[in-house]
Amino acid sequence: MTIKRLLIPLFFLMGVALFSMIALQLTQALQVRDEAQRQISQVTVRAPVVALLDALYAERGATYLALMTDGPIDASLAEKTNGLIAQARSSLESSGLPSAPTGISTLNFLSHAVGIGRAASQEPAASTDKTQKASIWFDVMSLQIDRLGALRLQLLAGSHVVDQELAPNFQLRTYLLALLDHIESNEPLLAAELSNRPNVRQNILLEVDHNRTRSEVALELLDELLGSLNPALQGEVAQVMTSVRTDFRRREAELTGILRATGNASPAVISRWEQASAKARGEIATLQEHLGAFVRQRLDAHLRDATDSLFTWALALMLTVLALGTVSFVLLERVIRPVELMRDRMLRLAEGNVDIDIPSSRGLAEINAMMDSLRVFRINAVRRARLQKERLTLHARLSETYRLMRDDLKAAALVQVSLLPDSRQHNGVRLASFFRPSNYLAGDTFDFIPSPGGSVIMFQIDVAGHGTAAALVSVVSHNAVRKAIEQWDGVSLAGLCASINAAWPESLTYFTLLLVEIDPLAARGRMVQAGHPHPFLLTGDTLVRLGAGGLPIGVLPDADFDEVPFDFTSGTRFLALTDGVMDLETSEGEPFSEERLIDFLTAKRDMPTAALLAEIERALRDWHHQDTFKDDVTIVILEGDDKVAGTQA
Amino acid sequence: MLARRHEQDGVTVFEIDEARLDAAKAPELRQTLLDAVDAGAQSFVLDLTRVEFMDSSALGALISTVKRLGPLGALHIAGAAGSVEKLFAITRMDRVFRIFPTRDAAIAAAQA
């Protein structure tokens, strides 16, 4: 999981959450604005509808009165009504309201119905029919007024409340219309009956009472509604209610009561009724205007608030986008990219690639510190790489030097081996050997030199230490011993050894020497042991360790040596060896030892010389468990054959 | 530290702490003893009680020490046993330095 893969989904989720929240707020603000606009449209459309309603009331009343009194019908009222129908239709068409088509149909039907009513009302008729014609006109118009009232309610359908304070106002309008309907209905009815005094029709008076009862219901509902109205409207509504209840209704009841009782009424009563009616109607109209203005004002305020909210949330959306973009950019440029860059560079450093660029960062302090650390890592890596390169170069030089030295050693080893005698024999004395330097060159050496008198001299040297220095000394000592033998008078082998010792430079390291002379003609041998391990004489079933030790060559310049004689008959084997044989150790450090060698030789004494040497080598390898020995190992066997005088005892 | 040096009864004693004195240890042994000689020691004891194996290189270090001591000096060997004793016997080292079975005997001889 990388920082980028962690942060991007988190930012995406955060962005989605923010955008969703803001989108929700935007949607809500848009809905409120649309609803406010719609309700403003409704108010705008309802204004001509209400005006049309007033016109219908006016035309209905005036025409009804004209019909009842045989008076002229005011054509201007019809024109006004028609004009308001056209205005209401036009307003509906341009409103875009869902209920507009239905409203237009209603208006068309209403226009048609009103037209038919007008036509019927203007047909000549007998005086007895005028009352019927007026009633029909009144009923037709009342029906259209009801239809228009229904249309007004239709226009409200589908509205949502954008302001709880406006909800009672719509009820208020309905109740005011009920009161107005009462006034507008009863006024022409009573006016017509007053003109027909004393033949007042009781059924009309009953209808007037019925209408008043309906307004009573409206007044009771207004009583309940009054408390929930806006305080600014409450006083005006209460005034209208008082005017209707205590003035108009009382005057109307007074008038109808007198008419019902007497069939007539005094001008004063009629005047009080007319004044109360005009006053109530005027106050209702004024209240309707105020109410319309109040509603429009509130809706305009809501529209403004919704529009402001819309702009506010749109601004919030832009700021959010800007903030998210800025934060994303900063995180990407100042954190994620530097971290990714550091990760990439560190991986490349880890892969050993130090040829990387680390750009300077002017970002966050922590990032800068990490960049600085990365530079330190790179510097260290460069230093390590340089050291590694130097080390590899040095190693290559060392390897080359080692190879050259090894080649030199191999060449020198060949030279050293070339100094050693092969399997030789002289006068029945055969030489066999096993020679294994510890590391190419050996401090061990030996030689086999026939003498003019028929005997044969073998010497074996072991220079202290091993390796190149010991090998060089062994070569020098080899030559020195060989030269001494060549110059020897053949009398005293111990004297020969003493002269070699005396001539050996004190500055050179000491060496051990075994000098052996075999006289095959006499079947005798003698030897001098100068610090060298004891040799062995294998004769038949007998194994004899020869010698009693002696100083090595180069320790004391005036040292003397002992000469040890022995019999050397046919089949006798003289075995000389260096201390590398006895000192060879196991991995636990246990030496092979002289005792173990004696046991081994005793057990293997019947084996032929070549096989015996091979068996010794195998035994040493088994003991040491390694191919290389820590010290030079040399074994030389001199064996007498049939040419050697004498026989084994 | 190959050899612990201390004074006992007025005699300088080098006590070898290694079980093996071979080519790997011989240069240090040689240098230690030659430094002592060069510092003026004429007679001291080398305690080999703990040494189980000695090769020709280490023997060469002892011989070099004796040569550096010259005819007036003396190297006293104490505690040689086993293969070390055999090495000394086969090389007749009793003719080069004085060999004693114990340290006390060597110190007593050095004091004489």
Side-chain angles (χ1 to χ4, degrees):
Chain A
M1 174 68 78
T2 61
I3 292 178
K4 190 177 179 180
R5 289 188 177 177
L6 175 68
L7 287 182
I8 286 178
L10 284 178
F11 258 84
F12 180 75
L13 285 176
M14 190 173 74
V16 167
L18 278 172
F19 284 134
S20 300
M21 189 182 73
I22 293 171
L24 183 66
Q25 295 295 333
L26 270 174
T27 306
Q28 287 179 347
L30 203 60
Q31 285 175 346
V32 170
R33 194 192 67 159
D34 289 347
E35 187 58 31
Q37 279 183 333
R38 197 157 74 95
Q39 292 194 12
I40 287 171
S41 298
Q42 286 175 343
V43 170
T44 305
V45 169
R46 273 166 49 214
V49 171
V50 171
L52 177 59
L53 194 61
D54 288 341
L56 285 177
Y57 276 131
E59 187 180 355
R60 182 185 69 174
T63 303
Y64 177 76
L65 199 56
L67 289 174
M68 288 295 289
T69 58
D70 294 325
I73 296 174
D74 188 354
S76 66
L77 293 174
E79 288 175 7
K80 184 181 179 183
T81 300
N82 290 340
L84 286 170
I85 289 173
Q87 188 182 343
R89 187 190 293 120
S90 172
S91 180
L92 271 173
E93 286 171 349
S94 61
S95 68
L97 291 171
S99 56
T102 308
I104 292 169
S105 298
T106 302
L107 287 175
N108 289 338
F109 184 80
L110 186 145
S111 177
H112 182 66
V114 169
I116 291 173
R118 283 178 190 144
S121 68
Q122 290 172 359
E123 286 180 0
S127 60
T128 53
D129 294 331
K130 68 176 183 182
T131 303
Q132 188 178 2
K133 193 161 66 175
S135 294
I136 291 170
W137 161 257
F138 197 88
D139 289 343
V140 167
M141 289 302 282
S142 295
L143 202 59
Q144 304 319 310
I145 286 169
D146 289 344
R147 181 168 284 119
L148 201 59
L151 174 60
R152 177 183 156 274
L153 291 175
Q154 267 184 340
L155 292 176
L156 289 174
S159 296
H160 299 285
V161 177
V162 295
D163 187 347
Q164 290 295 334
E165 211 169 307
L166 292 179
N169 293 344
F170 293 110
Q171 291 174 281
L172 178 61
R173 279 174 173 273
T174 304
Y175 302 155
L176 288 177
L177 280 178
L179 295 179
L180 189 64
D181 187 67
H182 166 209
I183 296 169
E184 294 287 358
S185 296
N186 284 358
E187 194 174 44
L189 290 175
L190 282 174
E193 294 309 311
L194 286 173
S195 66
N196 202 27
R197 285 174 296 180
N199 300 320
V200 176
R201 291 174 294 178
Q202 290 301 315
N203 63 326
I204 297 299
L205 294 179
L206 282 174
E207 186 176 347
V208 167
D209 289 343
H210 175 69
N211 287 338
R212 193 163 59 251
T213 303
R214 283 168 56 196
S215 72
E216 178 61 29
V217 175
L219 283 170
E220 288 174 1
L221 291 172
L222 275 173
D223 284 335
E224 295 174 5
L225 187 66
L226 190 61
S228 59
L229 292 173
N230 187 283
L233 294 171
Q234 282 181 1
E236 200 171 352
V237 172
Q239 176 60 40
V240 168
M241 289 172 67
T242 303
S243 296
V244 173
R245 180 175 281 151
T246 59
D247 289 345
F248 175 69
R249 285 173 55 83
R250 190 158 60 86
R251 298 303 174 195
E252 187 182 81
E254 180 188 23
L255 178 61
T256 54
I258 292 171
L259 286 176
R260 185 173 287 114
T262 63
N264 206 344
S266 66
V269 171
I270 294 170
S271 174
R272 283 200 297 271
W273 169 70
E274 286 175 345
Q275 286 175 4
S277 175
K279 183 187 175 192
R281 189 168 59 234
E283 285 179 354
I284 289 173
T286 303
L287 180 57
Q288 282 182 321
E289 284 178 13
H290 289 173
L291 191 56
F294 175 76
V295 170
R296 181 63 186 258
Q297 189 181 5
R298 298 286 299 190
L299 289 175
D300 284 343
H302 281 295
L303 182 61
R304 280 196 305 276
D305 290 346
T307 305
D308 289 347
S309 180
L310 202 60
F311 280 115
T312 301
W313 284 111
L315 185 63
L317 181 63
M318 286 190 291
L319 289 176
T320 302
V321 170
L322 187 64
L324 281 176
T326 304
V327 171
S328 300
F329 177 78
V330 170
L331 271 178
L332 190 66
E333 291 297 321
R334 298 297 181 90
V335 178
I336 293 176
R337 282 194 178 157
V339 168
E340 285 185 336
L341 185 141
M342 279 190 289
R343 176 176 175 271
D344 173 71
R345 299 303 188 269
M346 290 177 86
L347 285 174
R348 286 161 68 178
L349 270 181
E351 290 169 355
N353 182 6
V354 297
D355 189 19
I356 58 171
D357 63 305
I358 302 172
S360 60
S361 172
R362 296 185 300 278
L364 302 172
E366 292 86 346
I367 299 291
N368 286 344
M370 286 191 278
M371 285 285 194
D372 291 341
S373 299
L374 188 57
R375 286 189 193 89
V376 173
F377 292 160
R378 189 177 71 86
I379 291 169
N380 290 338
V382 169
R383 191 174 296 152
R384 273 199 305 276
R386 190 172 64 239
L387 290 174
Q388 179 70 9
K389 187 177 179 182
E390 290 173 359
R391 205 158 38 235
L392 289 174
T393 304
L394 185 61
H395 184 264
R397 287 179 185 164
L398 286 173
S399 296
E400 179 62 14
T401 303
Y402 175 73
R403 187 186 65 77
L404 292 172
M405 287 179 64
R406 191 177 54 194
D407 291 345
D408 289 346
L409 287 172
K410 285 181 178 176
L414 287 175
V415 173
Q416 187 178 39
V417 169
S418 70
L419 294 174
L420 303 179
D422 296 330
S423 295
R424 294 184 186 177
Q425 73 170 40
H426 180 74
N427 287 341
V429 179
R430 286 200 308 270
L431 178 139
S433 63
F434 170 77
F435 176 74
R436 174 59 60 91
S438 62
N439 185 19
Y440 297 111
L441 295 176
D444 291 1
T445 185
F446 63 94
D447 210 342
F448 181 85
I449 305 166
S451 73
S455 63
V456 61
I457 298 174
M458 190 281 289
F459 67 85
Q460 189 178 41
I461 290 173
D462 181 0
V463 177
H466 46 81
T468 306
L472 289 172
V473 176
S474 79
V475 171
V476 174
S477 59
H478 187 116
N479 289 335
V481 172
R482 185 178 179 92
K483 188 174 180 181
I485 291 171
E486 288 170 353
Q487 294 175 351
W488 179 47
D489 58 7
V491 177
S492 169
L493 200 60
L496 173 61
C497 190
S499 66
I500 293 171
N501 177 60
W504 186 247
E506 193 175 352
S507 58
L508 293 180
T509 187
Y510 78 93
F511 64 92
T512 65
L513 172 67
L514 183 71
L515 272 174
V516 185
E517 182 189 25
I518 304 292
D519 184 356
L521 298 177
R524 296 285 296 168
R526 52 180 176 168
M527 67 142 206
V528 175
Q529 184 185 12
H532 210 73
H534 299 286
F536 297 94
L537 201 63
L538 284 79
T539 306
D541 294 333
T542 306
L543 176 70
V544 178
R545 190 180 77 161
L546 298 176
L551 279 166
I553 305 298
V555 176
L556 296 177
D558 56 350
D560 54 4
F561 300 90
D562 298 327
E563 194 171 291
V564 178
F566 56 89
D567 295 331
F568 189 87
T569 57
S570 174
T572 299
R573 287 183 283 187
F574 180 91
L575 189 147
L577 65 165
T578 56
D579 59 2
V581 175
M582 278 75 73
D583 293 345
L584 194 69
E585 295 175 334
T586 62
S587 56
E588 288 77 28
E590 183 181 357
F592 192 74
S593 77
E594 188 181 56
E595 291 78 9
R596 191 168 281 105
L597 177 66
I598 291 171
D599 292 343
F600 180 86
L601 292 174
T602 303
K604 307 291 182 181
R605 62 183 179 274
D606 293 334
M607 293 183 78
T609 298
L612 180 61
L613 283 173
E615 192 66 10
I616 292 173
E617 180 185 5
R618 188 194 60 76
L620 293 177
R621 288 188 187 285
D622 290 346
W623 184 257
H624 190 54
H625 282 300
Q626 289 181 24
D627 289 336
T628 57
F629 297 158
K630 290 179 71 175
D631 196 4
D632 308 323
V633 171
T634 306
I635 302 171
V636 176
I637 297 178
L638 299 174
E639 183 177 14
D641 63 11
D642 295 342
K643 295 179 182 175
V644 177
T647 55
Q648 293 182 8
Chain B
M1 178 70 77
L2 175 68
R4 285 186 296 162
R5 175 175 177 169
H6 54 88
E7 303 294 322
Q8 183 175 341
D9 298 331
V11 177
T12 300
V13 177
F14 289 95
E15 183 179 353
I16 304 299
D17 274 344
E18 293 286 340
R20 292 178 58 85
L21 284 179
D22 54 15
K25 297 288 189 298
E28 184 182 354
L29 175 65
R30 175 190 175 93
Q31 195 61 49
T32 300
L33 298 177
L34 291 182
D35 286 346
V37 174
D38 292 343
Q42 285 293 307
S43 176
F44 52 87
V45 172
L46 184 65
D47 188 347
L48 300 178
T49 305
R50 292 190 179 140
V51 179
E52 297 173 359
F53 173 79
M54 176 184 285
D55 72 355
S56 58
S57 300
L59 184 61
L62 301 187
I63 292 170
S64 297
T65 303
V66 171
K67 288 182 176 178
R68 183 71 62 90
L69 280 169
L72 298 179
L75 175 61
H76 302 80
I77 302 294
S83 67
V84 180
E85 187 179 19
K86 287 182 182 176
L87 176 66
F88 286 168
I90 205 169
T91 54
R92 295 280 180 85
M93 283 296 117
D94 57 325
R95 294 169 62 181
V96 181
F97 34 72
R98 304 181 69 183
I99 300 173
F100 301 90
T102 64
R103 183 197 296 189
D104 291 341
I107 290 172
Q111 288 174 323

